[in-house]
Amino acid sequence: MTIASITAEIDAATTSAVSLVAEAADLVALEEVRREVLGKRSVVAKIKVSIKSLPAQDRPEAGRLLSLYSESIEEALTARQAQLGGIEVSGVSVPDLSLGSHGLERGHLHLVTQVRRQLEDIFVGLGYKIAEGPEVEDDWHNFEALNIPPAHPARSMQDTLYVDLGAEEQFMLRTHTSPVQIRTMENQEPPIYVVAPGRTYRNETLDARHSPIFHQMECLAIDKNLTMADLFGTIETFARQLFDDDTVQTRFRSDFFPYTEPSAELAVSCVFCSGVGCRVCSHTGWIELGGCGMVDPAVLSAVGIDPEKWQGFAFGFGLERIAMIRYGIDEIRTFYDNDLRFLAQY
Ligand code: DAH
């Protein structure tokens, strides 16, 4: 390497870079050119390294030539960028406002909120109202009125987080959204058609499928002459709308919940493999969503509704589970980590 050969190389690099810049057809191509002519793998980057092997008195001149190169290429890039990204108005280049801003990015709703709102829309479309209840619940609403008396083994199905409010009565973070059924029936005359979405809590250790906080949606219908056919039809309609697929099948298998009689576990045919079996449905062809059944007469009596006159059905399911199925998310914890790299994808 001599100063003469370096000068010649920089000259050649300048000519080639200037024509590459001029040829770039759009902003994406221009970025590509920027990398090529100024980046780590560019000719000048190599020249920069070889400066060390020049005689000491030639090094400042080589450095000067290199910065001249960078300056002139930067200038050419900026000019070309203005040409590509701007529009000419009577010979003056003005910014193209349709390009959008480079400042704040627009946020969006959390995935669980998106799922909740979509479900609310479906049920409102079916004539339901949205109901709410407190997250700190008393024993009556979370358990007793739901036909789960103290010391009933069904209590141990739910790992409850009790809250010490200093009162004699026991309070807890609600373990499900079912207490909203009770609160609604205490405050409204039938017929009742409500869905109650919300946060629920259990004494769980965080792992791939469990979280001490999660979300559920409860559905309650009380009317005259409601039967299990109404329950099945409602679930099928909502599942088909939710997964936007008219071929979704439903499956009900006998189960036990103290507040419904008969009770069933509810599952839908896997929307990914149409029931053939795949990773999402653990090769069973079915996806379990939650529980359901006909409201137990004891529950109606507990809230002063005559079970001889009124019947109803209820079901409940988890919201995270629906989002996990829909987007193939493996870990429930990713919903609460608040890592924008995850949340921004949905
Ligand atoms: N509360 C139940 C749970 O958290 C789910 C459930 C089952 C809700 C049956 C219902 C029902 O309304 O009828 O596991």
Side-chain angles (χ1 to χ4, degrees):
M1 271 290 169
T2 62
I3 186 70
S5 70
I6 281 185
T7 312
E9 270 192 61
I10 292 180
D11 274 352
T14 309
T15 317
S16 128
V18 166
S19 67
L20 281 175
V21 170
E23 275 159 29
D26 54 37
L27 292 172
V28 179
L30 192 64
E31 265 319 294
E32 195 69 15
V33 170
R34 176 192 295 280
R35 243 173 281 136
E36 202 176 320
V37 299
L38 290 175
K40 282 189 201 131
R41 298 215 185 84
S42 60
V43 182
V44 285
K46 284 188 207 113
I47 296 176
K48 208 179 261 175
V49 176
S50 61
I51 285 183
K52 286 193 209 94
S53 59
L54 283 180
Q57 75 272 17
D58 288 337
R59 284 183 209 158
E61 172 63 1
R64 195 184 65 82
L65 290 172
L66 275 177
S67 30
L68 269 179
Y69 169 87
S70 303
E71 257 170 48
S72 63
I73 300 307
E74 282 289 4
E75 242 172 57
L77 282 165
T78 311
R80 184 69 185 143
Q81 194 173 359
Q83 268 173 4
L84 292 172
I87 28 176
E88 292 275 323
V89 177
S90 30
V92 184
S93 178
V94 296
D96 178 356
L97 298 179
S98 68
L99 274 178
S101 76
H102 303 283
L104 285 178
E105 276 180 42
R106 208 177 254 254
H108 66 70
L109 295 174
H110 191 282
L111 187 47
V112 174
T113 310
Q114 292 177 35
V115 170
R116 172 173 64 75
R117 289 206 180 175
Q118 194 200 342
L119 286 161
E120 285 174 355
D121 277 351
I122 294 174
F123 281 102
V124 166
L126 293 173
Y128 284 74
K129 296 216 154 62
I130 313 290
E132 282 187 326
E135 289 173 27
V136 178
E137 210 21 300
D138 54 43
D139 199 79
W140 168 256
H141 292 96
N142 198 80
F143 289 129
E144 246 177 277
L146 287 163
N147 206 21
I148 316 175
H152 190 284
R155 289 208 180 194
S156 55
M157 285 161 69
Q158 305 193 340
D159 303 302
T160 312
L161 288 164
Y162 288 96
V163 182
D164 186 0
L165 294 182
E168 205 169 299
E169 203 184 341
Q170 207 149 41
F171 289 91
M172 64 209 69
L173 297 178
R174 65 177 177 194
T175 55
H176 49 182
T177 43
S178 305
V180 188
Q181 290 189 31
I182 303 300
R183 289 190 176 272
T184 308
M185 289 188 285
E186 282 173 340
N187 293 313
Q188 285 177 37
E189 295 291 321
I192 292 170
Y193 288 88
V194 290
V195 283
R199 264 179 233 138
T200 47
Y201 305 83
R202 293 196 195 167
N203 185 14
E204 307 262 17
T205 310
L206 191 62
D207 69 18
R209 303 246 149 196
H210 299 93
S211 159
I213 168 170
F214 56 102
H215 297 74
Q216 287 191 336
M217 184 176 255
E218 194 79 14
C219 174
L220 173 72
I222 305 288
D223 208 333
K224 287 185 172 148
N225 306 319
L226 283 179
T227 69
M228 277 193 108
D230 300 297
L231 166 66
F232 294 165
T234 305
I235 289 176
E236 187 176 275
T237 306
F238 117 79
R240 289 184 175 179
Q241 285 196 34
L242 175 66
F243 294 111
D244 196 18
D245 180 349
D246 274 347
T247 64
V248 171
Q249 304 293 310
T250 48
R251 182 189 72 181
F252 300 90
R253 292 202 300 194
S254 183
D255 203 342
F256 171 76
F257 298 100
Y259 29 97
T260 41
E261 183 60 36
S263 305
E265 159 215 284
L266 88 93
V268 293
S269 57
C270 179
V271 281
F272 291 97
C273 64
S274 307
V276 177
C278 68
R279 202 182 69 90
V280 178
C281 59
S282 311
H283 302 280
T284 62
W286 296 96
I287 292 171
E288 281 174 30
L289 285 187
C292 63
M294 300 305 291
V295 177
D296 194 303
V299 173
L300 296 174
S301 300
V303 292
I305 293 178
D306 183 356
E308 298 297 329
K309 264 175 57 192
W310 303 95
Q311 303 84 47
F313 61 76
F315 54 92
F317 53 88
L319 298 190
E320 282 83 354
R321 179 137 174 79
I322 287 177
M324 288 169 86
I325 293 163
R326 182 181 292 164
Y327 298 106
I329 298 165
D330 294 326
E331 297 259 346
I332 196 169
R333 64 195 321 148
T334 38
F335 290 108
Y336 316 109
D337 283 345
N338 280 338
D339 184 337
L340 286 179
R341 288 169 302 179
F342 166 76
L343 293 175
Q345 292 174 44
Y346 303 100

